[in-house]
Amino acid sequence: PGIYVCAKCGHELFSSRAKYEHSSPWPAFTETLRQGSVAKRQERPGALKVTCGKCGNGLGHEFLNDGPQRGQSRF
């Protein structure tokens, strides 16, 4: 429980309240903590590259429409 932060700079990224079980081996979240928590850029259709909103550290991807409910994204 708590807040997930960037391993490089400590910037707050996700709340444990947005975490859910997914078949991937990595933690999965439905939303960021704040609007500026992460930065995103299109990488390929259906996937955005996600970086820390403060230092630019790579965090993985946002997969559009792949969350636990229809229309939700998965980080």
Side-chain angles (χ1 to χ4, degrees):
I3 303 297
Y4 289 78
V5 300
C6 174
K8 187 173 180 180
C9 74
H11 186 62
E12 295 182 339
L13 305 169
F14 303 98
S15 168
S16 61
R17 289 179 289 178
K19 186 177 178 187
Y20 71 99
E21 291 296 322
H22 187 268
S23 60
S24 72
W26 298 278
F29 301 91
T30 55
E31 62 188 9
T32 60
L33 190 61
R34 294 181 191 86
Q35 184 176 358
S37 293
V38 301
K40 308 174 197 178
R41 67 174 169 79
Q42 185 77 39
E43 186 170 79
R44 62 182 188 269
L48 306 174
K49 183 71 177 167
V50 178
T51 57
C52 173
K54 183 176 181 182
C55 74
N57 187 38
L59 301 173
H61 294 87
E62 177 182 1
F63 297 99
L64 306 176
N65 299 309
D66 191 39
Q69 295 179 0
R70 187 175 194 176
Q72 274 187 323
S73 292
R74 171 174 58 92
F75 289 87

